[in-house]
């Protein structure tokens, strides 16, 4: 590709509202353009990256025996009513009416549509198991779209659905192969990730793993052991630890853990919740706290209405001490915080209603915590029971210390069991001619989010650092004076043709711009290999070669370039 034919639109500055490195860089590199809150255009440069991700996902899905189809984005309400999700899903589901006043929604996932197809197409055990996938645009009317394509409203997902005659087949032929395919996909993409045991959220069913890309800016918190395979998201770690991150099914319920003061202090520090002073007092007095929950509210949510009455019934030194401390700490930034006498689910629901970002709680068993982002999950009913806790000094499998890290959820595998197949009567005849409900699994990957997550993990002050697998171009040729110097132009054109013939995805930056602009752009765009061609070097038959990760370029012979790049 020649840059003069292509479209490159880089920016020196990122817009003020972009908080994350990946968001800033995606805008500055011209990968995406915002159209409205949570709605983006993938510009030509960004689309090349997106397609590379898609292709890797497609290859591995095909290899794992999943079959590609393409379902509609707009879905009829009837199917959603049948599954029960029309009532259940809340405001994240964008609902619309057609000209005949019939109800539809923009699909946030496709369980209903695929189950409807399968119940009509598959009637016998002989046709099972089957696994279908597509790579398709989804819409979720997120409460807080943010961080660019990381949490958009319209985004691209790979979603797959598998159907089985029995549970053994779901695990053996569906869940496990998908889990393995996900590991291959994220390995090939060069991401530093961890599969973690997860709660099944609004989708229901049992058995689930999230694939979390490790990044300090991640919205999720994962808990893992530093010496064993244990890894779970923090919601699940508080309730139902699995026996290992590579074990797809829950083996047993682990014992409930009571955290110590240190753990809470560490968590608060980790989450960077600015209540250091408050915490000290609370934790010290709170060790024997009674039934009390501390709600942390941030942003513009008001909390005043609840304080007095709810506190009245709570008799611990902690509750007496807390309100003053808290108000002193938080009054200034517009947020507010207060303790309430709710427990378990009740306070979780309350927190949702109030738009809390984080919740830390205690009950008569001691302190416990959770890292829910309620604003985000407000549409999802059924929070994990956050009364149970993760300990600091023993991970739940008894091996090693439990550590916390932040993550970005890029993939999710679920054993849905019969949640949809029973509600929608997806049945088949077994080998005795008896009608049975199918077992079902579903498997999502956030294609667009992966692009942001990869940048979040790999960038420096100069820009994006792509792996070869995801880069929009593998190599860029930067000629000095392409327009004016015949020698440079001829050498650059020749090298360009040579690399193209060798199958390298190469960009020839023939734009009529200052050298500094071209060099800066090549770094901002994160292209893995760069070859700078100038008159001076060419006299000795040399060019300047650098990998994006190198701190300095090296002189190499023109005819050595292909070997370096390939
Ligand atoms: P999150 O917890 O981040 O809201 P989710 O659990 O609601 O994600 P799933 O229903 O598991 O998402 O969907 C599968 C995948 O789709 C997720 O693992 C994630 O990578 C991606 N995804 C979900 N919501 C968004 C979004 N708003 N923008 C971009 N990608 C998303
Ligand atoms: Mg969500
Ligand atoms: Mg999630
Ligand atoms: Mg999920």
């Amino acid at each position: 590709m020649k840059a003069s034919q292509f479209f490159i639109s880089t920016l020196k500055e990122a817009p003020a509202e972009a908080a994350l490195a990946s968001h800033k860089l995606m805008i500055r590199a011209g990968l995406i353009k915002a159209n409205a809150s949570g709605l983006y255009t993938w510009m030509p440069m960004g689309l090349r990256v997106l397609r590379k991700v898609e292709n890797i996902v497609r290859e591995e899905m095909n290899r794992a025996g999943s079959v590609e189809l393409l379902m509609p984005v707009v879905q009829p309400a009837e199917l959603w009513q049948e599954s029960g999700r029309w009532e259940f899903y809340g405001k994240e589901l964008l609902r619309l009416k057609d000209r005949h006043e019939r109800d539809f929604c923009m699909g946030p996932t496709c369980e209903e549509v695929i189950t409807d197809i399968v119940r009509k197409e598959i009637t016998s055990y002989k046709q099972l198991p089957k696994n279908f996938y597509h790579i398709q645009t989804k819409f979720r009317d997120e409460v807080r779209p943010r961080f660019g394509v990381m949490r958009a409203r319209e985004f691209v997902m790979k979603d797959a659905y598998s159907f089985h005659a029995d549970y053994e087949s779901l695990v053996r032929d569906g869940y496990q192969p998908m889990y393995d395919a996900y590991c291959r996909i994220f390995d090939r993409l060069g991401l530093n990730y961890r599969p973690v045991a997860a709660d099944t959220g609004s989708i229901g069913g049992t058995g689930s793993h999230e694939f979390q890309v490790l990044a300090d800016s991640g919205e999720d918190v994962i808990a893992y052991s530093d010496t064993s395979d244990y890894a779970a998201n923090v919601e699940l770690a508080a309730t139902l630890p699995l026996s290992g991150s590579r074990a797809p099914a829950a083996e047993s319920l682990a014992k409930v853990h009571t955290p110590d003061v240190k753990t809470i202090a560490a968590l608060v520090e980790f989450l960077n919740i600015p209540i250091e002073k408050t915490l000290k007092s609370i934790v010290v007095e709170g060790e024997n706290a009674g039934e009390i929950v501390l709600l942390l509210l941030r942003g513009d949510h008001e909390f005043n209405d609840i304080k007095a009455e709810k506190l009245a019934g709570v008799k611990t030194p902690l509750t007496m001490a807390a309100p003053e401390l808290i108000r002193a700490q938080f009054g200034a930034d517009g947020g507010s915080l207060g303790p309430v006498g709710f427990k378990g689910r009740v306070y979780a629901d309350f927190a949702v209603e109030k738009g809390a970002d984080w919740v830390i709680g205690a009950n008569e068993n001691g302190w416990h915590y959770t890292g829910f982002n309620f604003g985000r999950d407000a549409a999802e009913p059924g929070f994990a029971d956050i009364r149970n806790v993760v300990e600091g000094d023993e991970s739940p499998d008894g091996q090693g210390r439990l550590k916390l890290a932040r993550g970005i959820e890029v993939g999710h595998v679920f054993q849905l069991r019969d949640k949809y197949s029973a509600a929608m009567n997806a049945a088949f005849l077994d080998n005795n001619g008896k009608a049975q409900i199918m077992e079902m699994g579903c498997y999502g990957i956030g294609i667009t989010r992966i692009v942001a997550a990869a940048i979040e993990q790999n960038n420096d002050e100069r820009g994006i650092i792509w792996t070869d697998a995801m880069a929009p171009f593998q190599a860029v040729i930067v000629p000095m004076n392409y327009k004016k110097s015949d020698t440079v132009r001829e050498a650059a054109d020749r090298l360009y043709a040579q690399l193209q013939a060798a199958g390298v995805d190469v960009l020839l930056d023939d734009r009529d711009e200052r050298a500094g602009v071209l060099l800066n752009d090549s770094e901002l765009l994160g292209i893995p290999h760069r070859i700078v061609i100038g008159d001076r070097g060419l006299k000795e038959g040399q060019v300047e070669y650098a990998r994006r990760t190198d701190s300095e370029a090296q002189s190499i012979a023109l005819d050595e370039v292909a070997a370096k790049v390939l």
Side-chain angles (χ1 to χ4, degrees), residues 272-565:
N272 199 15
I273 297 172
I275 58 168
E276 203 184 313
K277 245 194 197 151
T278 312
L279 182 77
K280 256 185 219 143
S281 324
I282 291 176
V283 167
V284 171
E285 295 175 64
E287 259 179 290
N288 302 311
E291 188 68 64
I292 175 156
V293 167
L294 184 65
L295 284 187
L296 259 178
L297 299 185
R298 292 199 293 205
D300 51 7
H301 299 285
E302 273 308 322
F303 196 61
N304 300 332
D305 49 333
I306 192 120
K307 187 186 59 177
E309 319 83 81
K310 298 300 170 192
L311 284 180
V314 184
K315 300 177 221 66
T316 68
L318 168 62
T319 54
M320 299 300 118
E324 306 328 316
L325 287 166
I326 290 160
R327 299 231 159 257
Q329 194 74 16
F330 278 95
D333 68 21
S336 56
L337 170 77
V340 221
F342 289 138
K343 59 176 182 175
R345 248 326 242 295
V346 182
Y347 78 70
D349 290 345
F350 173 78
V352 172
E353 207 179 287
K354 291 289 172 185
D357 271 335
W358 297 102
V359 172
I360 298 178
N363 62 21
E364 61 276 7
N365 299 321
W367 282 87
H368 62 221
Y369 64 80
T370 181
F372 286 118
N373 180 323
F374 281 98
R376 165 161 63 86
D377 287 335
E380 296 183 16
F383 296 105
D385 182 353
I386 53 181
R387 291 161 60 91
N388 303 332
V389 217
V390 185
E391 217 164 30
D393 294 328
E394 274 290 88
S395 77
D397 65 355
Q399 297 188 25
R401 267 187 69 81
L402 195 76
K403 293 204 160 171
L404 299 168
R406 280 189 180 276
I408 300 167
E409 182 193 326
V410 288
H412 201 160
V413 292
F414 293 91
Q415 293 172 21
L416 290 167
R417 308 291 313 263
D418 67 354
K419 180 179 158 80
Y420 294 87
S421 46
M424 298 179 67
N425 196 29
F428 66 98
L429 294 180
D430 68 12
N431 57 0
N432 299 316
K434 197 166 155 263
Q436 304 266 12
I437 295 293
M438 292 178 204
E439 290 272 353
M440 193 175 160
C442 75
Y443 319 94
I445 288 185
I447 303 282
T448 40
R449 182 180 285 182
I450 282 174
V451 178
I455 298 175
E456 207 51 44
Q457 221 167 41
N458 295 295
N459 69 75
D460 62 16
E461 65 293 339
R462 295 177 287 157
I464 300 168
I465 302 173
W466 293 116
T467 56
D468 281 21
M470 285 178 71
F473 296 97
Q474 280 164 276
V476 56
I477 301 170
V478 183
M480 301 284 112
N481 270 329
Y482 186 79
K483 290 264 147 44
K484 295 196 190 104
S485 163
D486 292 344
T487 356
V488 166
R489 189 170 55 254
E490 276 157 27
D493 284 348
R494 212 167 36 245
L495 180 62
Y496 175 62
Q498 186 199 351
L499 290 180
Q500 272 196 324
V504 177
D505 222 347
V506 56
L507 177 71
L508 172 59
D509 202 342
D510 58 347
R511 289 178 297 163
D512 198 7
E513 294 279 0
R514 283 183 295 112
V517 171
L518 302 185
L519 295 174
N520 286 346
D521 273 2
S522 76
E523 292 181 329
L524 174 61
L525 290 169
I527 299 172
H529 306 267
R530 182 176 77 189
I531 306 102
V532 179
I533 303 187
D535 276 315
R536 198 153 11 119
L538 279 181
K539 285 204 185 104
E540 323 285 319
Q542 302 274 305
V543 294
E544 296 281 301
Y545 167 82
R547 283 190 142 268
R548 175 61 180 81
T549 42
D550 291 344
S551 51
E552 274 176 43
Q554 46 170 308
S555 283
I556 62 167
L558 189 54
D559 55 18
E560 280 174 49
V561 171
K564 287 273 187 197
V565 172

